[in-house]
Amino acid sequence: MHPGTTSHPPVVRAAEVHQPIPLTPAAPYAAPLVPVQPAAVPAVASVILPDGRVVTGYAVEHTQPAPLAAKPAVSSAAVNVALGGVGFLAVCGGLLMLTTFITALTALIAQLITLAAVLFGGWIAVQVFSARNGASGGNTFHIRKATFKRNRFNG
């Protein structure tokens, strides 16, 4: 409280009820209104608060909550499991294709290694056998049939 003021007990008054007055169109050239009669005009109530303020308004009826929706025939968990199965099948198809590709790639690499070994072995064989014709400048040895008689060599 402020200094120099006295405190008074709050004044409590009875609630006053007012009926709303409908408005009439202001101009004659306004669009024609279609008269609609409300089923019931709500009452206007004024309430005086303990601190002296007056609150005026319409009484509002509480709305009823919507009825609970019926449970679906299929549970959401079953739908999730089914969708997971479809996704798993799609992934398995992709993995099958991936493993088939890896197997084919491995077979191709094995065939290339075998081809390289055959070609390299053939090249080595040509090098070895071409050295025997004497054109390479090497020594040629003729081996005769030798016999051993009584621990003596007859050559």
Side-chain angles (χ1 to χ4, degrees):
M1 282 205 277
H2 298 294
T5 61
T6 59
S7 66
H8 295 288
V11 178
V12 178
R13 297 184 188 155
E16 300 174 8
V17 176
H18 299 280
Q19 294 295 330
I21 301 170
L23 298 175
T24 58
Y29 54 88
L33 296 176
V34 178
V36 176
Q37 289 289 25
V41 177
V44 177
S46 296
V47 177
I48 300 174
L49 299 177
D51 62 351
R53 293 182 293 160
V54 177
V55 178
T56 304
Y58 290 103
V60 178
E61 295 182 16
H62 295 287
T63 58
Q64 295 293 330
L68 295 174
K71 291 183 85 177
V74 180
S75 70
S76 62
V79 171
N80 289 339
V81 168
L83 290 177
V86 169
F88 181 73
L89 287 177
V91 168
C92 285
L95 288 177
L96 182 63
M97 290 175 56
L98 182 65
T99 54
T100 304
F101 174 75
I102 290 173
T103 304
L105 187 63
T106 305
L108 176 68
I109 291 172
Q111 288 178 355
L112 289 176
I113 290 173
T114 304
L115 179 64
V118 167
L119 291 178
F120 184 68
W123 181 77
I124 294 223
V126 167
Q127 296 300 320
V128 167
F129 290 125
S130 67
R132 288 195 173 191
N133 61 9
S136 64
N139 296 329
T140 303
F141 296 97
H142 298 284
I143 299 175
R144 295 182 293 177
K145 186 176 179 182
T147 57
F148 290 90
K149 286 187 179 181
R150 296 188 186 163
N151 294 330
R152 290 191 67 177
F153 176 69
N154 296 319

